[in-house]
Amino acid sequence: MDKCPTCGKELTEEMICIKMCFQCGSKLEDNSNKLSKNEINMLKEIEKEKEQIEIARKEKELKEKIKQHLLTTGFNFEGYKISEYKGIVSGQVVLGTGFFSEFSAAVNDIFGTESNAMANKVQTAKKAAMNKLIESSIKQGGNAIIGVDFDFVTLINNMIGVFANGTSVFIEKSI
Ligand SMILES: [Zn+2]
């Protein structure tokens, strides 16, 4: 027989049933379902691990989808037919303060023969904008983008924006 943890009175089934000691009036906690602190922490750890595995799985899935996403500056794909238009998508990357002056100074180099750090910076920004473009296409349910186009826009505070635009579509291999 269980005893009241407050007053030590033996508990009747009735007391257990309504979870209250009739002797002292204290509430009885149901210990049968209660987890120890360690058990709770362990469960939390497991939950965290599960979440991290899930995040990693989703990232992998997204990377795979990005890799498989087809892109064209044109409006069709050889050997595929467009079965659905998902809408216009865009991806933006802003290059920080001070970029534009650097950019102006390096502009000749960019369009010249020499590849340099500045060109790499632009290339990296284009790639990042492109990834955002693809991510937004994936969100729309597309598996390809047609009419891919880049815009460079000068913003306030000496910043420059790299915009990638296109139309998200769903394509299927044509028979
Ligand atoms: Zn009691």
Side-chain angles (χ1 to χ4, degrees):
M1 201 52 149
D2 283 334
K3 284 181 179 172
C4 170
T6 312
C7 69
K9 168 100 178 156
E10 275 191 9
L11 301 171
T12 64
E13 262 178 44
E14 213 183 350
M15 296 184 201
I16 291 166
C17 194
I18 64 160
K19 289 176 185 159
M20 187 179 158
C21 171
F22 292 171
Q23 181 71 27
C24 68
S26 69
K27 270 193 176 173
L28 302 172
E29 282 182 37
D30 187 0
N31 287 316
S32 58
N33 292 326
K34 239 185 155 184
L35 297 168
S36 70
K37 248 188 183 172
N38 274 345
E39 283 171 317
I40 289 169
N41 283 339
M42 251 168 67
L43 283 177
K44 275 185 187 163
E45 286 295 315
I46 290 168
E47 213 44 54
K48 248 191 229 161
E49 258 172 54
K50 271 192 193 163
E51 260 170 47
Q52 268 155 8
I53 288 167
E54 183 61 13
I55 288 166
R57 194 188 63 76
K58 277 190 180 159
E59 265 174 18
K60 207 180 153 197
E61 210 181 84
L62 184 65
K63 268 187 192 160
E64 203 50 47
K65 275 188 181 170
I66 287 173
K67 237 166 74 184
Q68 286 166 2
H69 221 83
L70 293 178
L71 302 164
T72 180
T73 53
F75 294 92
N76 54 60
F77 294 93
E78 190 82 37
Y80 290 86
K81 64 171 195 265
I82 294 167
S83 55
E84 241 178 297
Y85 285 84
K86 299 291 187 182
I88 291 166
V89 284
S90 64
Q92 304 97 37
V93 172
V94 172
L95 292 169
T97 306
F99 180 81
F100 190 59
S101 48
E102 276 179 73
F103 183 80
S104 304
V107 93
N108 287 327
D109 291 335
I110 290 169
F111 298 110
T113 48
E114 257 181 48
S115 80
N116 55 20
M118 196 53 61
N120 285 338
K121 222 170 172 180
V122 171
Q123 212 48 48
T124 305
K126 273 177 89 174
K127 225 179 230 173
M130 187 65 105
N131 274 346
K132 285 188 177 179
L133 180 74
I134 296 170
E135 274 177 38
S136 101
S137 174
I138 288 167
K139 271 187 201 144
Q140 306 259 8
N143 63 356
I145 305 170
I146 58 171
V148 174
D149 181 37
F150 283 100
D151 280 326
F152 291 87
V153 181
T154 55
L155 308 167
I156 52 160
N157 294 332
N158 223 358
M159 295 191 291
I160 189 162
V162 181
F163 294 82
N165 306 290
T167 302
S168 174
V169 292
F170 192 85
I171 56 170
E172 288 169 294
K173 276 215 164 98
S174 51
I175 316 148

